Amino acid sequence: MRLSTVPVLVFLVGGLASQSIWKVSNVPGSGAHFTDLPQAVAVAAPGDSIWVYGSGGVNGPYMATTIDKGISIIGFMAGVTPGSNVPSESPLHGHLSIVGVPAGQRVVVSNFFMNSLSSQGGAIMVMDCLGSVILEDLYFNSLGIVNQPIRIERSVDVTLRGCHLEMSGDPLYVIDSSVLITTGLIQHRDPLPWPFPGYTTTRETISLQRANLTISGSIVAAIGAWSLYGYPPRNAVVMDTSTLRISPSSLVRGGYIPGTPGTTPTSFVPSVAFTGTGPNAVYKDWRTPAANYGTVPVTTTWLHETFHDWVVADELFNIRVNGPLGGFALLALGDYVPWTQSPWGNSLALDPMTAFLVGFVPLNAATGNYQWTLHCPSTALNGHAFALQALTLSQQGEIGLTIPSPLTVAWDKDRIP
């Protein structure tokens, strides 16, 4: 199969997935069904899609809302200059809550940026979801002020894909949940100075409590991870009765220790710390960038992965596999299904009835990687949840599955709906 045919099949696989499409725009004369997001969410049925038209902030952001059913919400700006795979986005304001999504349903929220200077602040909450949740290309800018929490609690399958989260001194809480962070950046924003309500205390970047977290193709940086900071350096991840997996391409870094050169792992406090009395486990790949883990026991193993760039209709994008050295990878694409994470292996994350071959390739003998560059057609379905995943074969004949890479397609930049 020629690689150029693969994105066309992306469109065909998911072409019948959406039921109704509801349009949201706060620009007069747009012909949209609603002027704000809560109205559209209220009438949407499971399986529906909501298109949220960006207006460049001319008419202000849309109000975030509570989602309790399996719908897809896609933000975009129409008529943007094409030529890159950075998605266009719509602005959101306030509290985004995804609560009680039933088993067998999925919420997708893609291509939005959030910030807030109001007294209530902004927040992202994912709570009590038995169904899947995918947050794709969500830029959360806390602006360094207080009351900007992000919490994932009691949810079985949550993916943060291509997200940039700038925290305000408090951690991303993952409690009684299973989460995949892929191709993302999570760090802290400097606090705003007086007279703004900037934060005055700091914590770790991610707090795990009875949780299962896999980090792939991502950076998780603690307070002061990049330079000398006004607060004491912190750990990037603090764990209580949890499991953490760090892929070959992921950097998890603690804060910089004042007075050190800043050039070696020992210039930074430990990336990971344990708390509580329950068992914890940290697994990292042999190729994972060096970091200071202090006294935390770390199991070094093979954690093969697949990850990709943002995918924008009618633009090029890249897919990368890190697999066994000198081995082989069979990359496939299909509809995403809930994914079970385990330290020693991965479950299939795509529906075999919709899966098809992207390519079968030899992997680099020294690094185990391979990269594809593909083109996504302008007709690709927006906001549908696909997944990329590779079957790997080592030189010793061992067969495995990579950490998957859930995929949604962002709006064609010069498409006018």
Side-chain angles (χ1 to χ4, degrees):
M1 178 182 295
R2 294 184 299 112
L3 293 185
S4 60
T5 68
V6 172
V8 176
L9 292 178
V10 172
F11 170 63
L12 295 177
V13 169
L16 300 178
S18 179
Q19 295 178 358
S20 297
I21 295 176
W22 303 96
K23 301 177 182 180
V24 177
S25 176
N26 56 17
V27 177
S30 65
H33 300 99
F34 304 102
T35 58
D36 209 351
L37 182 58
Q39 305 160 341
V41 170
V43 302
D48 286 359
S49 293
I50 299 174
W51 294 356
V52 182
Y53 295 50
S55 59
V58 173
N59 295 294
Y62 297 95
M63 183 59 64
T65 188
T66 298
I67 304 165
D68 61 1
K69 51 198 169 188
I71 57 178
S72 295
I73 305 175
I74 304 104
F76 65 95
M77 292 188 67
V80 179
T81 302
S84 78
N85 71 329
V86 178
S88 63
E89 300 169 323
S90 288
L92 277 183
H93 178 87
H95 289 230
L96 175 64
S97 299
I98 302 173
V99 179
V101 178
Q105 296 187 25
R106 176 181 297 113
V107 169
V108 175
V109 178
S110 60
N111 311 132
F112 288 93
F113 64 88
M114 297 182 66
N115 57 43
S116 177
L117 278 174
S118 71
S119 58
Q120 293 183 343
I124 301 173
M125 304 289 184
V126 181
M127 305 279 190
D128 301 303
C129 292
L130 297 177
S132 299
V133 176
I134 297 178
L135 303 180
E136 161 84 26
D137 178 39
L138 183 63
Y139 176 30
F140 180 86
N141 186 346
S142 68
L143 300 175
I145 64 175
V146 295
N147 298 322
Q148 310 284 303
I150 302 179
R151 302 180 71 94
I152 300 172
E153 298 188 30
R154 299 177 300 279
S155 296
V156 300
D157 182 37
V158 179
T159 297
L160 306 178
R161 219 301 312 175
C163 294
H164 181 177
L165 308 180
E166 296 198 355
M167 317 296 291
S168 275
D170 285 319
L172 162 63
Y173 288 96
V174 182
I175 303 170
D176 297 308
S177 299
S178 183
V179 174
L180 169 64
I181 298 173
T182 178
T183 332
L185 172 61
I186 303 180
Q187 60 185 0
H188 290 268
R189 177 89 174 194
D190 291 352
L192 281 180
W194 185 89
F196 299 100
Y199 65 88
T200 57
T201 59
T202 61
R203 289 280 304 276
E204 64 273 14
T205 303
I206 298 178
S207 173
L208 302 180
Q209 301 173 35
R210 300 173 303 280
N212 192 339
L213 172 63
T214 296
I215 302 172
S216 176
S218 299
I219 296 174
V220 177
I223 284 280
W226 308 120
S227 62
L228 183 63
Y229 199 74
Y231 293 100
R234 298 287 190 177
N235 309 110
V237 181
V238 173
M239 304 171 57
D240 179 0
T241 321
S242 297
T243 299
L244 171 65
R245 303 198 307 165
I246 307 172
S247 80
S249 60
S250 296
L251 175 64
V252 179
R253 174 179 280 181
Y256 167 71
I257 300 173
T260 60
T263 56
T264 65
T266 56
S267 297
F268 303 88
V269 300
S271 302
V272 181
F274 292 169
T275 187
T277 59
N280 292 288
V282 178
Y283 301 89
K284 74 176 185 70
D285 191 272
W286 297 89
R287 298 157 290 184
T288 300
N292 178 16
Y293 292 95
T295 59
V296 167
V298 176
T299 300
T300 302
T301 183
W302 296 105
L303 294 174
H304 305 314
E305 64 182 340
T306 300
F307 61 99
H308 69 278
D309 299 340
W310 289 305
V311 180
V312 176
D314 203 24
E315 301 288 353
L316 297 174
F317 67 100
N318 299 308
I319 306 167
R320 184 180 177 116
V321 168
N322 286 321
L325 309 185
F328 297 88
L330 177 68
L331 180 64
L333 174 65
D335 284 345
Y336 178 73
V337 295
W339 171 59
T340 301
Q341 308 169 64
S342 68
W344 306 112
N346 300 305
S347 65
L348 189 65
L350 49 88
D351 181 358
M353 299 300 294
T354 65
F356 54 87
L357 174 66
V358 175
F360 180 68
V361 298
L363 300 173
N364 186 282
T367 62
N369 70 67
Y370 188 90
Q371 180 171 299
W372 289 262
T373 298
L374 305 176
H375 177 265
C376 182
S378 60
T379 51
L381 182 69
N382 300 118
H384 182 76
F386 301 100
L388 290 156
Q389 192 172 27
L391 180 72
T392 61
L393 176 65
S394 73
Q395 291 183 335
Q396 294 74 37
E398 297 171 324
I399 296 175
L401 285 168
T402 62
I403 298 168
S405 192
L407 181 153
T408 69
V409 177
W411 193 265
D412 184 348
K413 292 185 176 182
D414 56 1
R415 174 185 174 192
I416 305 298

